[in-house]
Amino acid sequence: EDCTDGADNDGDALVDCDDPDCAADPACAAPATETNCTDGLDDDGDTLVDCDDPDCAADPACAPSGPANDECTGATAAVEGGNAYDLTDATVSAEAADNSTCDATSGEDVWFSWTAPADGAIEVTTCGASVGGVATDDSDLYLYEGDCTALTQLACDGDACGSGGGFGSTIAGVPVTSGKTYYIRVNTWN
């Protein structure tokens, strides 16, 4: 059997590496590492498939996915009071942030949506996300209106918690309209 010609040379209905006659042929040996991290196969014979195989750790297809609210389109509904967030594995969103009006930078971020229950003003803060009165992370805030395909930035802030308050941020006093949905972006300082 010629193990690389795509033909059944010995008439047993088995071609190339599917033929047991080719088991010892180097062309039919399993590769030493996973060669395709998206084919659903155990290419290297170690019983680990694709992204479950450590050989695929650096493959972009196996990069950790961010949190569900990593992009505006997956924004988590915010509620009055505390809203936990986790920036682990978050990425920098494609939506450009305008930092020209505040002491903020664009870093890894997560998104929240909030629908105003009445006309008034909004206050959003990460200053309360603290241990011993000091913010546990250096966060920035952005407030938008519109939808995720056409956002208009209304406000932003970085490090407004004041003396001893750490590096959390606050947006306050921005007018909101009853029934209108706003988007809040929380990111790490870069």
Side-chain angles (χ1 to χ4, degrees):
E1 182 79 17
D2 180 343
C3 300
T4 59
D5 67 354
D8 176 17
N9 305 108
D10 61 5
D12 63 0
L14 298 171
V15 177
D16 294 345
C17 295
D18 290 334
D19 192 319
D21 295 337
C22 291
D25 190 296
C28 297
T33 61
E34 194 77 15
T35 57
N36 183 336
C37 297
T38 60
D39 63 359
L41 301 173
D42 176 19
D43 300 314
D44 59 2
D46 65 358
T47 72
L48 299 171
V49 176
D50 294 346
C51 295
D52 290 334
D53 192 317
D55 294 337
C56 291
D59 190 293
C62 299
S65 60
N69 61 340
D70 192 31
E71 299 296 334
C72 179
T73 55
T76 299
V79 297
E80 299 266 340
N83 291 273
Y85 63 92
D86 184 356
L87 294 164
T88 304
D89 295 328
T91 61
V92 176
S93 293
E95 294 84 358
D98 177 4
N99 297 317
S100 66
T101 61
C102 61
D103 179 23
T105 62
S106 301
E108 293 79 13
D109 53 36
V110 292
W111 291 79
F112 292 89
S113 63
W114 177 74
T115 302
D119 290 352
I122 188 172
E123 178 177 346
V124 181
T125 185
T126 59
C127 293
S130 65
V131 174
V134 177
T136 56
D137 64 338
D138 192 348
S139 60
D140 298 326
L141 288 172
Y142 301 85
L143 179 66
Y144 299 89
E145 66 181 356
D147 65 42
C148 293
T149 61
L151 294 168
T152 301
Q153 186 173 310
L154 301 175
C156 63
D157 182 65
D159 303 343
C161 292
S163 179
F167 297 105
S169 299
T170 296
I171 293 174
V174 177
V176 295
T177 303
S178 178
K180 192 172 187 178
T181 299
Y182 298 86
Y183 290 90
I184 303 157
R185 181 184 200 172
V186 181
N187 74 263
T188 59
W189 180 84
N190 255 354

